[in-house]
Amino acid sequence: MFSTGFKYFIGVTVLSVVALVMSLFVLDQLAIAGVALSMLIGSTALLAGIAVVTRDGQTKTSSPELSKDLTTQSIWPLVTSVGVVLLALGLVISSLVFFSGVIVLLAALAEWMVKSWSERSSKDSGYNSSARKRLLNPIEFPVLAALGLGVVIYSFSRVMLAVDKSTGALLFIGLGSVVLIAGILFVLKPNMKRSVVVAICAFGAVGIFVAGIISASTGLREDLVIAKSESHEHPECGPERSKHFDKLAEGNLSLRSSVDATIELVDGKLSARIVGFNKPQNSVTIRRSTPTNLIFHNLDAKEYRLVANLGDLASTEPEGKTEKNLVCTQLTAQGAEQALVLKIDKPATVGTPYLLSVPGLEGQSIELVVP
Amino acid sequence: MNHSLRHSNLKSRVASVLLVVGKKYRTLFGVAMASTVAAGCAQNAPQDTWQPKGPNAKIIDDLQQPVFAVAGIIGLIVAVAIIYVIFKYKDRGQPIPEQTHGKPALEITLTIIPALILAVVAVFTFGAIFKLAKTDDTEMIINVTGQQWWWEYDYPVQNEFGINQPIISSGQLVMPVGTKVLLRETSRDVIHSYWIPALNGKRDAVPGRVQTLRLEADKPGLFAGQCTEFCGLSHANMRMEAIALSKADFAKWVANQQAAYVAPEKDSLAQQGEAVFLNQCVRCHQVNGLLRADGTPAIAAPDENVWSGAAPNLTHLMSRNTFAGATFDLLSKQCRDEVWNAPSSEIGEKYLAGVSENCLNQKDLRGWLRNAPAMKPMYANPTQLVATGGKYRGMPYLALSEDDISKLVAYLLTLK
Ligand SMILES: [Cu+2]
């Protein structure tokens, strides 16, 4: 009388009720688990109701018998177990392994499900396998192609990081031309044997892959190695040129950041355009302990940099020798912009306000107010 | 839309549904619908989205009313059709009817009609979005900063409003009535979202970004809201209120916020409280003008103690009516009701009175000082702060004696 679906859902409902009661005893308050279990109970009870009313959605015409000789060999149990192992290892080793386990598992389950569904969809095994293909090939091919391309592109990027800049450019042009020539060849000779086309492509891909492995093992080119080891110290903030670039801004800004205020230098005058204010201001409020993104926009003919003077650094030496706390942008050419990220933890002491100024340009400053 | 109107609308809808539903389900269905209707009629609903109290909320309301009607009618048609089909064509063992495929005329019509409806809705929606995004008519700016689990407000210098030194406050946003206020929102830790339903829609406060939200109130009043972006443990206790004051009252409020610090009287309980405050509280809480025993200004260092880098500025604590993310009242129940139930014209005066000793909600404030994390869930257990390098999220348990608490309360009462 009770359909299979009903039994399943009512079983889950009863189990969750038991779990809920137990969790109420174990945890003395209704935490997230309680909410989740209540929602599960509600939804499975509803599904059980639907299953009993619709008799599992069974009509008399469907449900062909599953016959043993229509099932073919399947690789998915194997892949599933690999996924489970990755999952378990990932819990110990790293979240990367864990998530690749999740992905492998999901993919295997989907493939397995569709395969077993297709094998019982008719008595004709040819039709069954075409049904499977029709459903899954549109997903499998792009995913496999993307994976393959990913490997090739990643390998090529390793090559580009290893060779020096001009060789890199030549290599890029060379490889591009080879791809173009191969493409032209394929177009001009549409009757070329399939195996030849496959061989050419495979040869190219494997070649790049091997080159990638070799390059990765030889390491980065010299200037990249130096750039990586360079100190993150801030450069001096005078009017002179420095070959370091502004790493503070680089570390704090992201694609999601937005500008709080733009400091403009026009005709020897500094002014602040602050988001929300309709008129230029001569002071900017910087909220305490909040990284605030400013842009220095130099419209003057000379090169300048913007410097934030944030009072004195707490001295670590007993004699109390104080050092100025300065943060600055790189020298900025006419029309160019530079970001300056300020995070100020304490308000200025009375009488010595925090100021934005431009070395080499006297009498111009913008107050930084920290409430 | 007022309640009675909504009521009658729903009633007629319920009636039409009842006509279709079979007899035996009628009572059940009736009960379900009646309780739904009843739920929509709460009397005390300060966060009701159907009661705009300012032009921005009105723009939204003018959009949502017709859209709600259109969506409601369509939803009803679909629901009725589905219920009808379920019962009419239930599998009773009848033969499967003849199967047909494709009816271009019908299919095209059924595609074009929804597309047209959506297009019309889209036109008005875009109109509303652009109106709400306007900033070139802004009259006043307030910086709003979200952190776990309270809002900070600071008012940049704006001489036209008498603000010639920055004002900083928390929990309750005070603004002048009939003024186009622009909030500049950001966050110090995770994403929060600012929402005062009576005055405008929501705007996320995102770390590293400044986003703007317009607010304008038609009449003096108190408007409740809460953080609407899940932000961790005490998200549900991250509330806020907007207080709209007449322009004259707002000027008084501004003047009071800028008033210089008055140290408590010599040898008073409050003076002892000030000493306890300097010992226990100043490492997180700023009180502008407060001096240490050696005469140097006491500068708080919340950046060294709190994960978000901030704790509420308490300089004028007793000028607000709530504390800890507007979750608790600083006013006793009776005094609070007097402010909230005052007619619009008297709200300003009642609000500006602040919190007097008689009106203070001793129980909650003392409870807070006794053990803040017990009143509001916060990550403040020093043994569990590995992830934040020992910094608290929220206010920790400070193991104060009842004596110290009494002194502190006396002191806090002077911070008007
Ligand atoms: Cu929040």
mmCIF file of all heavy atoms in Angstrom, chain A residues 55 60-61 256-258 260 274-278 285 287-290 293 345-347 369 371, chain B residues 135-136 141 143-145 154 156 166 182 184 186 188 208-210 286 299-301 303-304 309:
data_model
loop_
_atom_site.group_PDB
_atom_site.id
_atom_site.type_symbol
_atom_site.label_atom_id
_atom_site.label_comp_id
_atom_site.label_asym_id
_atom_site.label_seq_id
_atom_site.Cartn_x
_atom_site.Cartn_y
_atom_site.Cartn_z
ATOM 1 N N ARG A 55 1.249 8.545 -5.571
ATOM 2 C CA ARG A 55 1.744 7.166 -5.677
ATOM 3 C C ARG A 55 3.094 7.147 -6.388
ATOM 4 O O ARG A 55 3.278 6.465 -7.406
ATOM 5 C CB ARG A 55 0.754 6.288 -6.433
ATOM 6 C CG ARG A 55 -0.407 5.859 -5.547
ATOM 7 C CD ARG A 55 -1.445 5.140 -6.365
ATOM 8 N NE ARG A 55 -2.720 5.817 -6.256
ATOM 9 C CZ ARG A 55 -3.464 6.185 -7.280
ATOM 10 N NH1 ARG A 55 -3.062 5.955 -8.503
ATOM 11 N NH2 ARG A 55 -4.606 6.777 -7.092
ATOM 12 N N LYS A 60 1.042 3.540 -15.278
ATOM 13 C CA LYS A 60 1.154 2.112 -15.579
ATOM 14 C C LYS A 60 1.995 1.812 -16.800
ATOM 15 O O LYS A 60 2.449 0.696 -16.994
ATOM 16 C CB LYS A 60 -0.238 1.523 -15.750
ATOM 17 C CG LYS A 60 -0.832 1.235 -14.401
ATOM 18 C CD LYS A 60 -2.333 1.257 -14.434
ATOM 19 C CE LYS A 60 -2.878 1.665 -13.102
ATOM 20 N NZ LYS A 60 -3.260 3.054 -13.014
ATOM 21 N N THR A 61 2.221 2.859 -17.647
ATOM 22 C CA THR A 61 2.891 2.561 -18.908
ATOM 23 C C THR A 61 4.397 2.474 -18.782
ATOM 24 O O THR A 61 5.037 1.805 -19.555
ATOM 25 C CB THR A 61 2.554 3.632 -19.946
ATOM 26 O OG1 THR A 61 2.717 4.891 -19.305
ATOM 27 C CG2 THR A 61 1.155 3.470 -20.449
ATOM 28 N N ARG A 256 37.710 44.990 -5.940
ATOM 29 C CA ARG A 256 36.457 45.357 -5.300
ATOM 30 C C ARG A 256 36.541 46.683 -4.566
ATOM 31 O O ARG A 256 35.557 47.182 -4.065
ATOM 32 C CB ARG A 256 36.040 44.261 -4.327
ATOM 33 C CG ARG A 256 35.467 43.048 -5.003
ATOM 34 C CD ARG A 256 35.334 41.924 -4.029
ATOM 35 N NE ARG A 256 36.657 41.503 -3.573
ATOM 36 C CZ ARG A 256 36.872 40.716 -2.545
ATOM 37 N NH1 ARG A 256 35.861 40.273 -1.861
ATOM 38 N NH2 ARG A 256 38.084 40.370 -2.203
ATOM 39 N N SER A 257 37.752 47.239 -4.450
ATOM 40 C CA SER A 257 37.889 48.478 -3.698
ATOM 41 C C SER A 257 37.231 49.636 -4.416
ATOM 42 O O SER A 257 37.043 49.605 -5.629
ATOM 43 C CB SER A 257 39.359 48.817 -3.519
ATOM 44 O OG SER A 257 40.041 47.751 -2.947
ATOM 45 N N SER A 258 36.895 50.668 -3.667
ATOM 46 C CA SER A 258 36.466 51.890 -4.323
ATOM 47 C C SER A 258 37.214 53.052 -3.696
ATOM 48 O O SER A 258 37.797 52.926 -2.631
ATOM 49 C CB SER A 258 34.959 52.079 -4.208
ATOM 50 O OG SER A 258 34.612 52.470 -2.909
ATOM 51 N N ASP A 260 37.737 56.568 -1.887
ATOM 52 C CA ASP A 260 37.016 57.409 -0.937
ATOM 53 C C ASP A 260 37.148 58.881 -1.339
ATOM 54 O O ASP A 260 36.170 59.610 -1.337
ATOM 55 C CB ASP A 260 37.584 57.171 0.466
ATOM 56 C CG ASP A 260 36.702 57.778 1.535
ATOM 57 O OD1 ASP A 260 36.222 58.905 1.325
ATOM 58 O OD2 ASP A 260 36.485 57.147 2.574
ATOM 59 N N ILE A 274 35.622 64.328 -2.603
ATOM 60 C CA ILE A 274 35.269 63.205 -1.735
ATOM 61 C C ILE A 274 33.939 62.625 -2.206
ATOM 62 O O ILE A 274 33.007 63.384 -2.499
ATOM 63 C CB ILE A 274 35.150 63.676 -0.271
ATOM 64 C CG1 ILE A 274 36.432 64.418 0.126
ATOM 65 C CG2 ILE A 274 34.895 62.503 0.645
ATOM 66 C CD1 ILE A 274 36.385 65.016 1.502
ATOM 67 N N VAL A 275 33.869 61.309 -2.298
ATOM 68 C CA VAL A 275 32.629 60.657 -2.736
ATOM 69 C C VAL A 275 31.468 61.147 -1.889
ATOM 70 O O VAL A 275 31.521 61.105 -0.660
ATOM 71 C CB VAL A 275 32.763 59.120 -2.589
ATOM 72 C CG1 VAL A 275 31.432 58.449 -2.847
ATOM 73 C CG2 VAL A 275 33.824 58.605 -3.535
ATOM 74 N N GLY A 276 30.428 61.648 -2.537
ATOM 75 C CA GLY A 276 29.248 62.108 -1.809
ATOM 76 C C GLY A 276 29.182 63.620 -1.684
ATOM 77 O O GLY A 276 28.120 64.205 -1.734
ATOM 78 N N PHE A 277 30.350 64.275 -1.545
ATOM 79 C CA PHE A 277 30.375 65.738 -1.453
ATOM 80 C C PHE A 277 30.283 66.322 -2.857
ATOM 81 O O PHE A 277 30.949 65.835 -3.772
ATOM 82 C CB PHE A 277 31.672 66.213 -0.803
ATOM 83 C CG PHE A 277 31.712 66.045 0.694
ATOM 84 C CD1 PHE A 277 32.111 64.848 1.253
ATOM 85 C CD2 PHE A 277 31.343 67.085 1.525
ATOM 86 C CE1 PHE A 277 32.156 64.684 2.626
ATOM 87 C CE2 PHE A 277 31.388 66.931 2.911
ATOM 88 C CZ PHE A 277 31.783 65.732 3.461
ATOM 89 N N ASN A 278 29.511 67.379 -3.001
ATOM 90 C CA ASN A 278 29.379 67.960 -4.332
ATOM 91 C C ASN A 278 30.415 69.026 -4.617
ATOM 92 O O ASN A 278 30.653 69.361 -5.761
ATOM 93 C CB ASN A 278 27.968 68.517 -4.523
ATOM 94 C CG ASN A 278 26.961 67.387 -4.584
ATOM 95 O OD1 ASN A 278 27.240 66.343 -5.178
ATOM 96 N ND2 ASN A 278 25.831 67.556 -3.942
ATOM 97 N N THR A 285 37.893 63.295 6.059
ATOM 98 C CA THR A 285 37.736 62.495 7.271
ATOM 99 C C THR A 285 38.216 61.076 7.008
ATOM 100 O O THR A 285 37.779 60.443 6.054
ATOM 101 C CB THR A 285 36.264 62.446 7.701
ATOM 102 O OG1 THR A 285 35.789 63.770 7.840
ATOM 103 C CG2 THR A 285 36.120 61.719 9.023
ATOM 104 N N ARG A 287 38.237 57.492 8.772
ATOM 105 C CA ARG A 287 37.715 56.782 9.947
ATOM 106 C C ARG A 287 38.852 56.026 10.618
ATOM 107 O O ARG A 287 39.707 55.448 9.953
ATOM 108 C CB ARG A 287 36.622 55.812 9.510
ATOM 109 C CG ARG A 287 35.584 56.491 8.632
ATOM 110 C CD ARG A 287 34.667 55.475 7.975
ATOM 111 N NE ARG A 287 34.215 55.992 6.673
ATOM 112 C CZ ARG A 287 32.973 55.938 6.242
ATOM 113 N NH1 ARG A 287 32.035 55.383 6.964
ATOM 114 N NH2 ARG A 287 32.650 56.434 5.068
ATOM 115 N N ARG A 288 38.819 55.992 11.926
ATOM 116 C CA ARG A 288 39.845 55.268 12.682
ATOM 117 C C ARG A 288 39.980 53.814 12.255
ATOM 118 O O ARG A 288 38.976 53.150 12.022
ATOM 119 C CB ARG A 288 39.438 55.241 14.150
ATOM 120 C CG ARG A 288 40.105 56.260 14.997
ATOM 121 C CD ARG A 288 39.963 55.794 16.436
ATOM 122 N NE ARG A 288 39.916 56.964 17.295
ATOM 123 C CZ ARG A 288 40.269 56.921 18.581
ATOM 124 N NH1 ARG A 288 40.645 55.796 19.127
ATOM 125 N NH2 ARG A 288 40.225 58.000 19.293
ATOM 126 N N SER A 289 41.190 53.331 12.197
ATOM 127 C CA SER A 289 41.470 51.901 11.957
ATOM 128 C C SER A 289 40.769 51.353 10.732
ATOM 129 O O SER A 289 40.390 50.199 10.702
ATOM 130 C CB SER A 289 41.040 51.042 13.148
ATOM 131 O OG SER A 289 41.454 51.612 14.333
ATOM 132 N N THR A 290 40.559 52.188 9.729
ATOM 133 C CA THR A 290 39.848 51.731 8.537
ATOM 134 C C THR A 290 40.695 52.055 7.317
ATOM 135 O O THR A 290 40.936 53.231 7.058
ATOM 136 C CB THR A 290 38.493 52.455 8.415
ATOM 137 O OG1 THR A 290 37.853 52.412 9.676
ATOM 138 C CG2 THR A 290 37.621 51.818 7.360
ATOM 139 N N ASN A 293 40.999 54.461 0.881
ATOM 140 C CA ASN A 293 41.678 54.553 -0.409
ATOM 141 C C ASN A 293 41.605 55.959 -0.981
ATOM 142 O O ASN A 293 40.525 56.459 -1.261
ATOM 143 C CB ASN A 293 41.051 53.579 -1.413
ATOM 144 C CG ASN A 293 40.973 52.177 -0.857
ATOM 145 O OD1 ASN A 293 41.858 51.744 -0.125
ATOM 146 N ND2 ASN A 293 39.911 51.458 -1.182
ATOM 147 N N ASP A 345 45.209 54.757 13.171
ATOM 148 C CA ASP A 345 44.572 54.159 14.340
ATOM 149 C C ASP A 345 44.199 55.153 15.429
ATOM 150 O O ASP A 345 43.331 54.888 16.246
ATOM 151 C CB ASP A 345 45.494 53.089 14.937
ATOM 152 C CG ASP A 345 45.631 51.886 14.010
ATOM 153 O OD1 ASP A 345 44.663 51.621 13.280
ATOM 154 O OD2 ASP A 345 46.688 51.247 13.999
ATOM 155 N N LYS A 346 44.896 56.288 15.457
ATOM 156 C CA LYS A 346 44.644 57.232 16.550
ATOM 157 C C LYS A 346 44.426 58.623 15.977
ATOM 158 O O LYS A 346 45.042 58.971 14.978
ATOM 159 C CB LYS A 346 45.861 57.279 17.493
ATOM 160 C CG LYS A 346 46.358 55.927 17.948
ATOM 161 C CD LYS A 346 46.004 55.667 19.367
ATOM 162 C CE LYS A 346 46.027 54.206 19.755
ATOM 163 N NZ LYS A 346 47.019 53.340 19.167
ATOM 164 N N PRO A 347 43.597 59.423 16.640
ATOM 165 C CA PRO A 347 43.431 60.795 16.163
ATOM 166 C C PRO A 347 44.712 61.595 16.411
ATOM 167 O O PRO A 347 45.540 61.214 17.242
ATOM 168 C CB PRO A 347 42.275 61.333 17.020
ATOM 169 C CG PRO A 347 42.160 60.425 18.180
ATOM 170 C CD PRO A 347 42.753 59.117 17.799
ATOM 171 N N VAL A 369 41.314 64.427 8.960
ATOM 172 C CA VAL A 369 40.640 64.458 10.254
ATOM 173 C C VAL A 369 40.302 63.038 10.673
ATOM 174 O O VAL A 369 39.649 62.306 9.929
ATOM 175 C CB VAL A 369 39.345 65.295 10.175
ATOM 176 C CG1 VAL A 369 38.686 65.354 11.542
ATOM 177 C CG2 VAL A 369 39.647 66.675 9.639
ATOM 178 N N PRO A 371 38.271 61.197 13.475
ATOM 179 C CA PRO A 371 37.388 61.462 14.614
ATOM 180 C C PRO A 371 37.563 60.428 15.730
ATOM 181 O O PRO A 371 37.955 59.303 15.451
ATOM 182 C CB PRO A 371 35.993 61.365 14.024
ATOM 183 C CG PRO A 371 36.121 60.588 12.780
ATOM 184 C CD PRO A 371 37.544 60.681 12.314
ATOM 185 N N THR B 135 22.876 61.816 -6.197
ATOM 186 C CA THR B 135 23.593 62.388 -5.055
ATOM 187 C C THR B 135 23.873 63.874 -5.242
ATOM 188 O O THR B 135 24.360 64.516 -4.326
ATOM 189 C CB THR B 135 24.953 61.691 -4.839
ATOM 190 O OG1 THR B 135 25.691 61.776 -6.053
ATOM 191 C CG2 THR B 135 24.803 60.250 -4.447
ATOM 192 N N ASP B 136 23.549 64.414 -6.418
ATOM 193 C CA ASP B 136 23.986 65.803 -6.642
ATOM 194 C C ASP B 136 23.129 66.819 -5.894
ATOM 195 O O ASP B 136 23.424 68.002 -5.907
ATOM 196 C CB ASP B 136 24.030 66.112 -8.154
ATOM 197 C CG ASP B 136 22.711 65.842 -8.827
ATOM 198 O OD1 ASP B 136 21.739 65.548 -8.101
ATOM 199 O OD2 ASP B 136 22.638 65.928 -10.069
ATOM 200 N N ILE B 141 26.124 65.258 4.926
ATOM 201 C CA ILE B 141 26.837 63.983 4.816
ATOM 202 C C ILE B 141 27.088 63.385 6.194
ATOM 203 O O ILE B 141 27.486 64.091 7.116
ATOM 204 C CB ILE B 141 28.202 64.206 4.122
ATOM 205 C CG1 ILE B 141 27.966 64.743 2.709
ATOM 206 C CG2 ILE B 141 29.045 62.949 4.161
ATOM 207 C CD1 ILE B 141 28.437 63.883 1.609
ATOM 208 N N ASN B 143 29.086 59.904 7.795
ATOM 209 C CA ASN B 143 29.828 58.665 7.551
ATOM 210 C C ASN B 143 29.266 57.569 8.451
ATOM 211 O O ASN B 143 29.099 57.771 9.648
ATOM 212 C CB ASN B 143 31.311 58.840 7.880
ATOM 213 C CG ASN B 143 32.011 59.707 6.852
ATOM 214 O OD1 ASN B 143 31.603 59.758 5.688
ATOM 215 N ND2 ASN B 143 33.049 60.400 7.276
ATOM 216 N N VAL B 144 28.984 56.421 7.861
ATOM 217 C CA VAL B 144 28.440 55.297 8.622
ATOM 218 C C VAL B 144 29.419 54.139 8.500
ATOM 219 O O VAL B 144 29.796 53.768 7.390
ATOM 220 C CB VAL B 144 27.067 54.884 8.060
ATOM 221 C CG1 VAL B 144 26.562 53.643 8.768
ATOM 222 C CG2 VAL B 144 26.077 56.021 8.216
ATOM 223 N N THR B 145 29.867 53.611 9.632
ATOM 224 C CA THR B 145 30.828 52.508 9.586
ATOM 225 C C THR B 145 30.263 51.309 10.344
ATOM 226 O O THR B 145 29.906 51.422 11.511
ATOM 227 C CB THR B 145 32.161 52.923 10.226
ATOM 228 O OG1 THR B 145 32.475 54.248 9.804
ATOM 229 C CG2 THR B 145 33.270 51.988 9.795
ATOM 230 N N ASP B 154 29.913 59.134 12.014
ATOM 231 C CA ASP B 154 30.660 60.357 12.265
ATOM 232 C C ASP B 154 30.258 61.408 11.255
ATOM 233 O O ASP B 154 29.947 61.115 10.115
ATOM 234 C CB ASP B 154 32.169 60.079 12.319
ATOM 235 C CG ASP B 154 32.788 59.886 10.960
ATOM 236 O OD1 ASP B 154 33.051 60.895 10.286
ATOM 237 O OD2 ASP B 154 33.012 58.726 10.569
ATOM 238 N N PRO B 156 31.334 64.608 9.320
ATOM 239 C CA PRO B 156 32.466 65.450 8.918
ATOM 240 C C PRO B 156 32.103 66.923 9.132
ATOM 241 O O PRO B 156 30.921 67.264 9.193
ATOM 242 C CB PRO B 156 32.637 65.163 7.431
ATOM 243 C CG PRO B 156 31.793 63.980 7.127
ATOM 244 C CD PRO B 156 30.766 63.872 8.195
ATOM 245 N N PRO B 166 34.530 67.420 14.166
ATOM 246 C CA PRO B 166 33.828 66.179 13.863
ATOM 247 C C PRO B 166 33.032 65.657 15.062
ATOM 248 O O PRO B 166 33.469 65.768 16.198
ATOM 249 C CB PRO B 166 34.951 65.215 13.483
ATOM 250 C CG PRO B 166 36.215 65.868 13.884
ATOM 251 C CD PRO B 166 35.978 67.316 13.970
ATOM 252 N N LEU B 182 23.089 62.199 3.019
ATOM 253 C CA LEU B 182 23.734 61.107 2.288
ATOM 254 C C LEU B 182 24.650 60.356 3.249
ATOM 255 O O LEU B 182 25.533 60.945 3.862
ATOM 256 C CB LEU B 182 24.545 61.660 1.121
ATOM 257 C CG LEU B 182 25.037 60.589 0.142
ATOM 258 C CD1 LEU B 182 23.877 60.060 -0.677
ATOM 259 C CD2 LEU B 182 26.111 61.140 -0.774
ATOM 260 N N ARG B 184 27.635 57.833 3.859
ATOM 261 C CA ARG B 184 28.782 57.216 3.181
ATOM 262 C C ARG B 184 29.147 55.993 3.989
ATOM 263 O O ARG B 184 29.721 56.104 5.065
ATOM 264 C CB ARG B 184 29.960 58.188 3.106
ATOM 265 C CG ARG B 184 29.651 59.473 2.356
ATOM 266 C CD ARG B 184 30.788 60.487 2.521
ATOM 267 N NE ARG B 184 31.927 60.164 1.688
ATOM 268 C CZ ARG B 184 33.107 59.762 2.145
ATOM 269 N NH1 ARG B 184 33.305 59.611 3.428
ATOM 270 N NH2 ARG B 184 34.085 59.518 1.309
ATOM 271 N N THR B 186 30.803 52.276 4.974
ATOM 272 C CA THR B 186 31.822 51.267 4.748
ATOM 273 C C THR B 186 31.851 50.363 5.972
ATOM 274 O O THR B 186 31.021 50.515 6.872
ATOM 275 C CB THR B 186 33.203 51.876 4.451
ATOM 276 O OG1 THR B 186 34.085 50.833 4.021
ATOM 277 C CG2 THR B 186 33.807 52.523 5.678
ATOM 278 N N ARG B 188 34.409 47.921 8.842
ATOM 279 C CA ARG B 188 35.762 47.679 9.372
ATOM 280 C C ARG B 188 36.101 46.205 9.407
ATOM 281 O O ARG B 188 37.229 45.836 9.683
ATOM 282 C CB ARG B 188 35.888 48.238 10.782
ATOM 283 C CG ARG B 188 35.933 49.739 10.836
ATOM 284 C CD ARG B 188 36.379 50.200 12.212
ATOM 285 N NE ARG B 188 36.661 51.624 12.209
ATOM 286 C CZ ARG B 188 35.826 52.544 12.674
ATOM 287 N NH1 ARG B 188 34.670 52.192 13.176
ATOM 288 N NH2 ARG B 188 36.145 53.816 12.635
ATOM 289 N N GLY B 208 36.673 48.318 2.405
ATOM 290 C CA GLY B 208 37.418 48.748 1.223
ATOM 291 C C GLY B 208 36.584 49.530 0.225
ATOM 292 O O GLY B 208 37.097 49.958 -0.801
ATOM 293 N N ARG B 209 35.293 49.670 0.487
ATOM 294 C CA ARG B 209 34.449 50.420 -0.442
ATOM 295 C C ARG B 209 33.688 51.500 0.316
ATOM 296 O O ARG B 209 33.389 51.339 1.488
ATOM 297 C CB ARG B 209 33.417 49.510 -1.103
ATOM 298 C CG ARG B 209 33.971 48.505 -2.072
ATOM 299 C CD ARG B 209 32.837 47.867 -2.846
ATOM 300 N NE ARG B 209 32.146 48.844 -3.653
ATOM 301 C CZ ARG B 209 32.511 49.172 -4.897
ATOM 302 N NH1 ARG B 209 33.529 48.576 -5.451
ATOM 303 N NH2 ARG B 209 31.851 50.093 -5.564
ATOM 304 N N VAL B 210 33.362 52.573 -0.391
ATOM 305 C CA VAL B 210 32.459 53.572 0.170
ATOM 306 C C VAL B 210 31.203 53.554 -0.686
ATOM 307 O O VAL B 210 31.286 53.714 -1.898
ATOM 308 C CB VAL B 210 33.090 54.977 0.126
ATOM 309 C CG1 VAL B 210 32.102 56.008 0.613
ATOM 310 C CG2 VAL B 210 34.333 55.005 0.984
ATOM 311 N N GLN B 286 36.950 55.649 23.605
ATOM 312 C CA GLN B 286 37.395 57.037 23.630
ATOM 313 C C GLN B 286 36.342 57.897 24.323
ATOM 314 O O GLN B 286 35.149 57.734 24.077
ATOM 315 C CB GLN B 286 37.590 57.538 22.197
ATOM 316 C CG GLN B 286 38.116 58.950 22.084
ATOM 317 C CD GLN B 286 39.599 59.016 22.416
ATOM 318 O OE1 GLN B 286 40.392 58.197 21.965
ATOM 319 N NE2 GLN B 286 39.971 59.978 23.242
ATOM 320 N N ILE B 299 44.026 58.643 25.070
ATOM 321 C CA ILE B 299 43.671 58.237 23.704
ATOM 322 C C ILE B 299 43.424 56.729 23.709
ATOM 323 O O ILE B 299 44.308 55.949 24.058
ATOM 324 C CB ILE B 299 44.806 58.562 22.713
ATOM 325 C CG1 ILE B 299 45.157 60.049 22.740
ATOM 326 C CG2 ILE B 299 44.425 58.120 21.310
ATOM 327 C CD1 ILE B 299 44.129 60.961 22.149
ATOM 328 N N ALA B 300 42.228 56.335 23.327
ATOM 329 C CA ALA B 300 41.882 54.912 23.321
ATOM 330 C C ALA B 300 42.669 54.183 22.239
ATOM 331 O O ALA B 300 43.080 54.782 21.249
ATOM 332 C CB ALA B 300 40.394 54.728 23.081
ATOM 333 N N ALA B 301 42.877 52.887 22.444
ATOM 334 C CA ALA B 301 43.599 52.086 21.450
ATOM 335 C C ALA B 301 42.782 50.857 21.066
ATOM 336 O O ALA B 301 43.239 49.722 21.243
ATOM 337 C CB ALA B 301 44.961 51.682 21.984
ATOM 338 N N ASP B 303 42.308 49.683 18.317
ATOM 339 C CA ASP B 303 42.995 48.896 17.276
ATOM 340 C C ASP B 303 43.870 47.809 17.878
ATOM 341 O O ASP B 303 44.147 46.805 17.235
ATOM 342 C CB ASP B 303 43.828 49.841 16.404
ATOM 343 C CG ASP B 303 44.788 50.684 17.219
ATOM 344 O OD1 ASP B 303 44.327 51.476 18.084
ATOM 345 O OD2 ASP B 303 45.997 50.557 17.035
ATOM 346 N N GLU B 304 44.309 48.007 19.143
ATOM 347 C CA GLU B 304 45.162 46.992 19.766
ATOM 348 C C GLU B 304 44.354 45.932 20.516
ATOM 349 O O GLU B 304 44.887 44.921 20.948
ATOM 350 C CB GLU B 304 46.139 47.664 20.750
ATOM 351 C CG GLU B 304 47.183 48.512 20.050
ATOM 352 C CD GLU B 304 47.776 49.569 20.972
ATOM 353 O OE1 GLU B 304 47.737 49.398 22.206
ATOM 354 O OE2 GLU B 304 48.275 50.589 20.438
ATOM 355 N N GLY B 309 38.894 47.007 15.241
ATOM 356 C CA GLY B 309 39.691 48.217 15.394
ATOM 357 C C GLY B 309 38.927 49.382 15.964
ATOM 358 O O GLY B 309 39.424 50.504 15.961
#
